[in-house]
Amino acid sequence: MGTPSSEIITIDGGVMEGGGQILRMAMAFSTLLRKPIRVTNIRAGRSNPGLRPQHLTGLQLVRDLCGGRLKGGEIGSTDISFYPGPVKSGEFVANTGTAGSICLILQIALPCLVFSIEASTIMIKGGTDVTSSPPFDHYLMVFKPILEKFGVKFDCNIVRRGYYPKGGGEVVVKTSPVASFLQPVDIVTAGQVTHFSGRSFVAGVLPIKVAHAMADSASRVLRQAYPGVPLKIDRIKEPSEVAVGNGSGIVIMAETSTGCLLGGSALGRKGESAEKVGEAAAKELLDDLNCGGCVDHHLQDQLIIFMALAKGESRIKTGPVTLHTETAIYVVQLLTEAKFNLVKDEVHNSCIIECQGIGLQQSSD
């Protein structure tokens, strides 16, 4: 872990993507490297600037994880200061009280917890399937197995699913400490798609036929692009005891001959047909596959922090680099010695992201 520093680093939260990502990345690195930070102009690029409940919940969770001091931690605040302590192990609870994305709260907490001394457990309450982030099934099907390549070990249990606007979802995550360092990854050879799998779901008052319509529509699009490739999409009516409110959506994953995993997803919305939802998820996945990328556009920015922390050079091949990814790299280079290089292929609209990580080491603080 990092050596404590007394000099505070000021970060403009309104640059580039201008949303909550700068805050999440800055808080995670502040905690891991023991560097105090001040973040100004928080979410200046949004129509409702400042901290929203899910952002504040994430900040408070990380404060609790390390026994740090947080100034300016209130709804609507556009300026916070954070003074971290050493990461602790234990049991923690985070509750957004809204449909705030559980995945986004994990973005800030998981990198910290894998560098704690012992196993830890977090119970997070919020939204599992909401518009502000990929659905939690994407996290389980795509993000988790890829993260394991770095040596990150954690288990997730979806106790209850929660949808916009009610929220009420609940996920329990159990983390194990990293052995010593995170391992670098090399994910640059896409290979051939070997099969598609997925999950099409409805909850609440919505009938199962909606799940069938989404799955059938997605299957038609995928079979047209990849005839003969095995495809299986489960169609699910969530039991009332494990889902709060009404919701629908579909998550699809492609696996390739080289072990790459890419996902596409879409959520049901009022006024949009189930067929359109299924088609949108399939097209999102195909867009990433057609670039020859090895990780999808949801995943690329989430991997940046782990590439930066790993020991050695990591490489991932993506489609077009997203603004979220550029923002993540900006924050990494502001706070660490990690070096990134982007090798763009304009012809195929793809990019190889290279990173020489800092090799953060497990500490016995």
Side-chain angles (χ1 to χ4, degrees):
M1 299 284 280
T3 304
S5 167
S6 57
E7 184 180 345
I8 194 162
I9 300 168
T10 300
I11 300 161
D12 184 350
V15 301
M16 303 185 77
E17 187 267 337
Q21 186 191 31
I22 294 176
L23 188 64
R24 288 189 292 274
M25 296 279 293
M27 283 290 288
F29 279 116
S30 169
T31 303
L32 290 167
L33 303 176
R34 303 282 295 277
K35 292 181 177 180
I37 57 165
R38 179 186 177 198
V39 183
T40 61
N41 297 321
I42 293 170
R43 298 183 67 250
R46 297 294 185 261
S47 57
N48 54 345
L51 295 177
R52 305 308 304 150
Q54 77 175 33
H55 307 106
L56 181 57
T57 302
L59 297 188
Q60 291 169 335
L61 174 58
V62 171
R63 176 200 64 195
D64 294 346
L65 294 180
C66 70
R69 275 192 304 127
L70 175 64
K71 293 182 179 179
E74 56 195 44
I75 301 297
S77 173
T78 58
D79 190 328
I80 64 103
S81 297
F82 183 61
Y83 301 84
V87 177
K88 301 179 292 186
S89 307
E91 296 186 358
F92 305 92
V93 176
N95 185 357
T96 67
T98 67
S101 168
I102 290 174
C103 286
L104 293 183
I105 292 173
L106 274 173
Q107 263 188 28
I108 190 172
L110 186 64
C112 301
L113 281 177
V114 298
F115 281 95
S116 63
I117 306 304
E118 297 174 352
S120 294
T121 301
I122 324 177
M123 181 176 72
I124 307 176
K125 297 182 178 182
T128 55
D129 300 86
V130 292
T131 54
S132 57
S133 77
F136 204 80
D137 288 305
H138 182 279
Y139 201 86
L140 290 177
M141 295 164 64
V142 180
F143 179 71
K144 185 176 182 291
I146 297 297
L147 213 54
E148 288 171 352
K149 295 177 185 288
F150 288 92
V152 175
K153 296 176 183 175
F154 66 103
D155 292 314
C156 298
N157 177 33
I158 301 177
V159 178
R160 194 175 297 107
R161 292 177 181 269
Y163 313 102
Y164 180 83
K166 284 189 177 180
E170 185 178 320
V171 171
V172 175
V173 178
K174 296 184 178 181
T175 63
S176 300
V178 66
S180 181
F181 299 97
L182 290 181
Q183 301 302 312
V185 300
D186 198 71
I187 311 173
V188 294
T189 307
Q192 302 298 313
V193 176
T194 56
H195 70 272
F196 294 101
S197 56
R199 188 178 194 277
S200 181
F201 68 88
V202 293
V205 300
L206 298 173
I208 188 68
K209 70 178 183 181
V210 173
H212 285 296
M214 291 187 294
D216 290 344
S217 175
S219 297
R220 278 194 297 273
V221 173
L222 294 174
R223 286 198 171 108
Q224 188 173 1
Y226 286 87
V229 173
L231 185 156
K232 183 178 185 292
I233 300 176
D234 296 328
R235 297 109 190 277
I236 296 159
K237 169 75 174 179
E238 302 287 6
S240 58
E241 64 271 18
V242 297
V244 177
N246 304 315
S248 66
I250 180 170
V251 183
I252 316 160
M253 181 182 76
E255 184 165 356
T256 77
S257 55
T258 54
C260 296
L261 303 173
L262 299 91
S265 62
L267 295 176
R269 293 185 297 183
K270 263 188 177 176
E272 188 167 22
S273 71
E275 289 79 9
K276 288 285 187 189
V277 175
E279 189 177 296
K283 287 186 172 176
E284 181 179 86
L285 176 53
L286 290 177
D287 283 346
D288 280 316
L289 289 171
N290 290 341
C291 294
C294 299
V295 302
D296 63 49
H297 69 285
H298 291 303
L299 198 62
Q300 56 174 262
D301 68 285
Q302 296 183 65
L303 296 182
I304 295 300
I305 187 169
F306 297 98
M307 294 171 73
L309 294 171
K311 185 178 183 181
E313 186 184 46
S314 292
R315 300 189 306 157
I316 60 172
K317 186 178 182 184
T318 71
V321 174
T322 66
L323 182 56
H324 272 92
T325 298
E326 291 175 346
T327 304
I329 292 172
Y330 167 78
V331 176
V332 167
Q333 297 191 144
L334 205 60
L335 293 174
T336 80
E337 298 298 313
K339 303 296 182 192
F340 279 87
N341 181 44
L342 273 56
V343 183
K344 295 185 178 180
D345 181 344
E346 306 291 354
V347 175
H348 298 99
N349 209 16
S350 65
C351 180
I352 292 178
I353 302 174
E354 302 173 335
C355 173
Q356 190 66 40
I358 63 173
L360 187 69
Q361 190 167 9
Q362 177 62 275
S363 169
S364 56
D365 274 359

